[in-house]
Amino acid sequence: MSNLTNRQVLLNAHPVGFPVDTDFKMVETPAPAPADGDLLIRTIYLSLDPYMRGRMNQGPSYATGVEIGDVMTAGTVGQVVASKNDNFAEGDFVLCGNGWQEYAVSDGQGVRKLDPTVAPISTAVGVLGMPGMTAYVGLLDVGELKDGDNVVVSAASGAVGAVVGQIAKIKGHRVVGVAGVQKKCDYVTGELGFDACVSHRSETLADDLKAACPDGIDLYFENVGGKVFEAVVPLLNDFARVPVCGRIANYNMTEPPSGPNQVPSLMQRTLVHRLMIRGFIVYDRAHLQDDFLREVGGWIRSGQLKYREDIVEGIDNAVRTFQGLLRGENFGKQLVQVSDDPTRPA
Ligand code: NDP
């Protein structure tokens, strides 16, 4: 295997603010050889997700960060090219966490086989993987979706938001999305069946959202923070729930937002309206994995739930594509295709 070259993207510096090209470094090394018990995996799809921005930082968070000189972390879908592990055979498709690189050796721990006849293998890091599971547990378990809830979700056309809105629609709710540009709004209303969608880039966001939510908001699925959250808060009804999934608008901030301290008024509103604002991390709810796969898998097979992937080719485009994700340039679940997918028709 030593004749295989492994291109890897390493963290070169902890970004200060928006990550720049020099925060990363591409290196070429010989692909590692599997020892007894190991398998060598070729990366096919590399999942790019907003959480990676947090992993680039120094300091404590809910997960360990990437050290300078380490391969950037990522969920990946790959194919076993050599196996010295009885549980895996050459040619198997697998879900693993091999990061931003073309090849990796694993002892099989945490590696899950994928059956390409059940679902496209790329979905294992998308609608049937971590982002889909995040939507499912955040909406139903953390958010305690109730009959009659008026639902709003931000980053509505993205990997998580699109699934949130569609599950709420399947369950009979009125759903309003918030997205960046018109084509994303058209997609969530036209293709995904949301009732309305407003742009957070509009000067009149607060008014637009109010007009789109004539009965207020009972459940806001928070993906972005910033001015979207500020527009949502005055519209929250009594007993509204806010599962706090992400705050991408803040991920590149180097200082707290300027302006008056809004914590006292938010806490007052939380008391008066008996709000529930609850952060969660998807893996806190791992016990719901089987329910998620059964229900969401079923909705995909029946055509009730759609998904969209934004696939960019080539590991050398990983950094540029990640930067684009932070700017809202992705349209759907962001993937980088690192090598051929033999399961996908040409
Ligand atoms: P998306 O596929 O939705 O991509 C990110 C999107 O965020 C962009 O396309 C853009 O959409 C939007 N965005 C970027 N900057 C801003 C901004 N300043 N204001 C408003 N919107 C912005 O990503 P995911 O669906 O994978 O993730 C959505 C959120 O969920 C993220 O915050 C992520 O960190 C979080 N998450 C949390 C998990 C958990 O366990 N808690 C697990 C997985 C994800 P647009 O063009 O519409 O603005």
Side-chain angles (χ1 to χ4, degrees), residues 9-76:
V9 180
L10 312 183
L11 187 67
N12 194 42
H14 297 293
V16 179
F18 195 90
V20 296
D21 294 358
T22 51
D23 294 329
F24 307 91
K25 183 164 71 174
M26 173 84 87
V27 297
E28 291 190 5
T29 57
D36 279 348
D38 285 349
L39 47 151
L40 176 66
I41 302 166
R42 168 176 67 88
T43 306
I44 301 175
Y45 296 107
L46 160 58
S47 175
L48 291 181
D49 299 274
Y51 77 83
M52 293 167 178
R53 178 61 190 86
R55 300 288 167 87
M56 295 169 191
N57 289 341
Q58 276 178 305
S61 185
Y62 63 87
T64 313
V66 178
E67 300 286 343
I68 302 292
D70 281 358
V71 176
M72 271 303 305
T73 187
T76 50

Side-chain angles (χ1 to χ4, degrees), residues 23-203:
D23 294 329
F24 307 91
K25 183 164 71 174
M26 173 84 87
V27 297
E28 291 190 5
T29 57
D36 279 348
D38 285 349
L39 47 151
L40 176 66
I41 302 166
R42 168 176 67 88
T43 306
I44 301 175
Y45 296 107
L46 160 58
S47 175
L48 291 181
D49 299 274
Y51 77 83
M52 293 167 178
R53 178 61 190 86
R55 300 288 167 87
M56 295 169 191
N57 289 341
Q58 276 178 305
S61 185
Y62 63 87
T64 313
V66 178
E67 300 286 343
I68 302 292
D70 281 358
V71 176
M72 271 303 305
T73 187
T76 50
V77 168
Q79 188 170 29
V80 176
V81 291
S83 178
K84 294 184 177 178
N85 181 313
D86 292 342
N87 296 322
F88 296 90
E90 196 179 313
D92 282 349
F93 296 101
V94 290
L95 170 66
C96 40
N98 288 348
W100 299 23
Q101 59 183 336
E102 294 179 304
Y103 292 94
V105 152
S106 164
D107 63 4
Q109 293 285 326
V111 177
R112 180 158 65 82
K113 274 192 225 183
L114 299 172
D115 181 347
T117 65
V118 171
I121 57 174
S122 56
T123 60
V125 286
V127 68
L128 289 173
M130 184 279 285
M133 172 93 174
T134 302
Y136 180 85
V137 303
L139 180 69
L140 301 179
D141 195 38
V142 184
E144 301 172 7
L145 183 70
K146 292 180 176 35
D147 286 351
D149 277 349
N150 291 290
V151 175
V152 172
V153 58
S154 47
S157 72
V160 176
V163 180
V164 169
Q166 289 184 89
I167 295 175
K169 284 306 302 175
I170 289 167
K171 292 187 173 285
H173 296 265
R174 187 167 190 282
V175 179
V176 174
V178 181
V181 290
Q182 192 60 43
K183 71 173 179 182
K184 291 186 177 181
C185 287
D186 291 345
Y187 170 70
V188 302
T189 53
E191 289 281 317
L192 306 185
F194 289 27
D195 298 279
C197 185
V198 300
S199 170
H200 64 80
R201 294 176 194 255
S202 162
E203 296 283 316

Side-chain angles (χ1 to χ4, degrees), residues 50 130 134 158-160 179-180 184 200 223-224 245-246 249 251 280-282 330:
M130 184 279 285
T134 302
V160 176
K184 291 186 177 181
H200 64 80
N223 276 327
V224 306
C245 174
Y251 291 174
F280 73 100
I281 302 298
V282 58
N330 64 307

Side-chain angles (χ1 to χ4, degrees), residues 89-339:
E90 196 179 313
D92 282 349
F93 296 101
V94 290
L95 170 66
C96 40
N98 288 348
W100 299 23
Q101 59 183 336
E102 294 179 304
Y103 292 94
V105 152
S106 164
D107 63 4
Q109 293 285 326
V111 177
R112 180 158 65 82
K113 274 192 225 183
L114 299 172
D115 181 347
T117 65
V118 171
I121 57 174
S122 56
T123 60
V125 286
V127 68
L128 289 173
M130 184 279 285
M133 172 93 174
T134 302
Y136 180 85
V137 303
L139 180 69
L140 301 179
D141 195 38
V142 184
E144 301 172 7
L145 183 70
K146 292 180 176 35
D147 286 351
D149 277 349
N150 291 290
V151 175
V152 172
V153 58
S154 47
S157 72
V160 176
V163 180
V164 169
Q166 289 184 89
I167 295 175
K169 284 306 302 175
I170 289 167
K171 292 187 173 285
H173 296 265
R174 187 167 190 282
V175 179
V176 174
V178 181
V181 290
Q182 192 60 43
K183 71 173 179 182
K184 291 186 177 181
C185 287
D186 291 345
Y187 170 70
V188 302
T189 53
E191 289 281 317
L192 306 185
F194 289 27
D195 298 279
C197 185
V198 300
S199 170
H200 64 80
R201 294 176 194 255
S202 162
E203 296 283 316
T204 54
L205 167 63
D207 291 340
D208 298 349
L209 190 62
K210 190 173 180 188
C213 302
D215 298 319
I217 301 171
D218 303 297
L219 193 154
Y220 170 55
F221 194 103
E222 168 68 306
N223 276 327
V224 306
K227 59 186 182 169
V228 178
F229 184 68
E230 287 170 23
V232 162
V233 168
L235 304 177
L236 292 171
N237 292 331
D238 287 353
F239 304 105
R241 279 135 285 130
V242 181
V244 181
C245 174
R247 295 183 52 79
I248 193 168
N250 293 17
Y251 291 174
N252 292 311
M253 280 186 180
T254 51
E255 290 176 10
S258 58
N261 178 2
Q262 300 194 10
V263 174
S265 65
L266 178 62
M267 294 309 289
Q268 178 68 8
R269 198 171 270 278
T270 302
L271 172 63
V272 170
H273 293 284
R274 288 84 95 204
L275 306 177
M276 194 276 290
I277 301 176
R278 174 146 199 189
F280 73 100
I281 302 298
V282 58
Y283 53 64
D284 298 341
R285 315 272 162 162
H287 61 285
L288 297 172
Q289 172 88 6
D290 291 347
D291 295 343
F292 155 67
L293 288 174
R294 191 187 62 254
E295 284 211 277
V296 174
W299 291 325
I300 291 171
R301 279 191 293 280
S302 68
Q304 285 172 282
L305 197 148
K306 298 177 186 168
Y307 64 95
R308 178 183 181 109
E309 296 173 327
D310 184 339
I311 303 178
V312 169
E313 290 195 7
I315 194 163
D316 33 358
N317 286 317
V319 170
R320 177 185 67 72
T321 306
F322 183 72
Q323 292 165 330
L325 177 78
L326 295 176
R327 292 192 199 101
E329 290 169 9
N330 64 307
F331 190 2
K333 170 62 204 145
Q334 187 69 69
L335 300 168
V336 174
Q337 185 163 0
V338 172
S339 66

